[in-house]
Amino acid sequence: MGRSDPRKAYFAAKMGLSLAIVSLLIFFKEPLKDASQYSIWAILTVVVVFEFSIGATLNKGFNRALGTISAGGIALGIAELAVRAGSWQEVVIVANIFIAGFLASYIKLYPPMKSYEYGFRVFLLTYCIVLVSGSNSSFIGTAIYRLLLIGVGAAICLVINICILPIWAGEDLHKLVVKNFKGVATSLEGVVNGYLQCVEYERIPSKILTYQASDEPLYSGYRTTIQSSTQEETLLDFALWEPPHGPYNSFNYPWRNYVRVGGSLRHCAFMVMAMHGCILSEIQAPPEKRQVFANELLRVGTEGAKVLRELGSNVERMEKLSPKDILFEVHEAAEELQNMIDQKSYLLVNYEGWGPKILGRKFEDPDNFVDKEQDNKNNVIESLSESWDGQNVGTGGGGGDPSMSQWISTDSVLKKSLTAWPSRLTSFTGNLMQPQPELEESKVYESASSLSLATFTSLLIEFVARLQNLVDEFVELSEKANFKDPMDSSDTKEVGGFWTRIYRRFWSKPEELA
């Protein structure tokens, strides 16, 4: 854990240092003789206020200060009122504790008060302790000592957390958004390549079926982005408390726009998740039909991933987009895919019900992957028999790539159990003559398998359409955060070491003059 993120070790060391410094109050005799008696309040403040990031520490410190001061002031007034009540003193104290507990517990449930939830808890704790101890003779002195030592503990937390290896929640939010861009880009490329390679899980991992964390890059890339919504909101709440620092050198820095960019990226990640579902689906399109659209699908996937990586790189460098249209190539690729779908749309539906004119026009295309004579046969039974033969050959000891042990071709539908609807189509006898109901069901399966290809292509096109909103959110962020202008490649200077500069200084000029 410390190797992957050394900051965790730094945080633990800073926490120990803060407690060590506060514990010295126990041994103080002068100038406050009674300080050691109440030093537990300073230690308790360090334990509950010191957080991983500076923003979280400031948030906790503000809530504790607000709750302590307000509760102390109100409790002092109520205690004085209880003393004046005479014999009704206990009744006044108990009644006010009930009222304070009811109101504080009820108000903190109001959504806008969510960020002050810890402050309400501190208010109740301080209010009850101060009010109950009001009968002591040293009531005022006790309250002053507690407030003073709570302030000392909070000050030590802030000084150590800010001055020694500071950890900023805003920086974590920035890095999280960049990481999500890279993860979705990796998943998009993996999904498109996997679909075109006609691969399929031999056994779908239970972690994927139950939507749990998994080490598979294709799955974890988009899942991490989808699951990061809560983490982004938490980091945002802490980043809003942090002062200007590093490249985030302005007050009211637009941290909320980072969350908006992350939300737009998640909107695109949903499409990648749906396309991965096509690979996990029981119904798969035939490999030969996928190859018809292979070039177009591959180009859209590659260009889409390129856009995501470029946006992520610009967020990481805090750099605006170049004047050229970042979406030009991916839009052009999507248009080519749409044109191919228009030309080959008959591959995505059941064309047996079409009229003769449409069928005749279909076979005028010389690039059609299906011959006219083969259309009169049952294509589903042929593909099933081929997969049956391929399975028998595979069991005969054919060698395969061990790295692809978890993947099998879509022709291996026969390996599935015979209980699910698509799989029980294969329960035919030795001859290929099936009863009429099974033939009808085969036609239904063939139509559904073709529609699965249409589903995948439409999801990919929808992903491209959603990129525009992502780019718009990035542009808004870059303007509000005052990102630097993109560097022109012609203005960039070559960087080299000392000896390289010496070489260029004395030996490059004659060549340039020549």
Side-chain angles (χ1 to χ4, degrees), residues 58-287:
L58 290 172
N59 186 9
K60 278 285 190 73
F62 174 80
N63 277 274
R64 186 164 182 81
L66 183 62
T68 300
I69 294 174
S70 59
I74 296 175
L76 287 176
I78 298 297
E80 183 65 23
L81 180 63
V83 171
R84 293 172 181 259
S87 60
W88 293 88
Q89 180 179 359
E90 291 80 5
V91 177
V92 172
I93 291 177
V94 173
N96 280 276
I97 289 177
F98 170 79
I99 294 173
F102 172 80
L103 292 177
S105 301
Y106 184 79
I107 294 174
K108 75 178 183 180
L109 297 177
Y110 192 54
M113 297 295 172
K114 179 182 177 182
S115 57
Y116 302 102
E117 193 267 346
Y118 177 70
F120 283 105
R121 291 182 181 273
V122 173
F123 173 86
L124 285 179
L125 177 65
T126 305
Y127 183 84
C128 294
I129 292 177
V130 172
L131 197 58
V132 170
S133 62
S135 58
N136 298 333
S137 58
S138 59
F139 174 69
I140 301 296
T142 299
I144 293 176
Y145 270 117
R146 287 175 179 173
L147 292 176
L148 178 62
L149 291 176
I150 287 175
V152 170
I156 291 175
C157 289
L158 292 178
V159 170
I160 291 181
N161 211 352
I162 293 177
C163 298
I164 302 177
L165 299 173
I167 302 173
W168 304 96
E171 185 178 352
D172 289 344
L173 177 60
H174 185 185
K175 292 180 179 179
L176 178 61
V177 174
V178 173
K179 176 185 175 183
N180 289 342
F181 269 105
K182 297 177 181 178
V184 176
T186 301
S187 293
L188 175 62
E189 284 186 333
V191 165
V192 174
N193 292 332
Y195 191 79
L196 293 179
Q197 292 173 7
C198 304
V199 294
E200 181 185 358
Y201 288 93
E202 184 175 3
R203 182 180 180 275
I204 301 176
S206 59
K207 290 186 176 181
I208 295 181
L209 290 176
T210 55
Y211 197 62
Q212 297 179 0
S214 176
D215 296 333
E216 184 185 355
L218 188 150
Y219 168 73
S220 62
Y222 67 79
R223 183 189 179 278
T224 302
T225 303
I226 295 175
Q227 292 292 106
S228 64
S229 175
T230 303
Q231 186 179 2
E232 289 179 2
E233 292 292 340
T234 302
L235 291 175
L236 171 64
D237 292 339
F238 297 152
L240 294 175
W241 286 89
E242 295 177 346
H245 58 279
Y248 323 104
N249 51 5
S250 64
F251 290 96
N252 298 323
Y253 193 80
W255 294 115
R256 289 186 175 86
N257 287 89
Y258 277 91
V259 178
R260 290 175 61 89
V261 171
S264 300
L265 179 61
R266 239 179 328 273
H267 195 54
C268 298
F270 290 140
M271 292 296 98
V272 180
M273 179 180 181
M275 287 186 284
H276 189 210
C278 293
I279 297 180
L280 303 177
S281 175
E282 292 284 343
I283 302 175
Q284 297 288 334

Side-chain angles (χ1 to χ4, degrees), residues 8-18 50 160:
K8 296 179 180 179
Y10 302 155
F11 164 73
K14 291 191 294 182
M15 181 68 167
L17 178 61
S18 300
F50 202 100
I160 291 181

Side-chain angles (χ1 to χ4, degrees), residues 293 296-297 299-300 303 325 327-343 457 460-461 464-465:
F293 306 95
E296 290 74 15
L297 289 172
R299 187 187 174 195
V300 173
E303 294 298 334
D325 187 7
L327 297 176
F328 176 78
E329 296 293 337
V330 69
H331 282 171
E332 187 179 60
E335 290 177 1
E336 292 181 1
L337 175 59
Q338 185 61 58
N339 292 334
M340 178 61 71
I341 292 175
D342 294 339
Q343 297 175 11
T457 55
L460 188 57
I461 293 176
V464 174

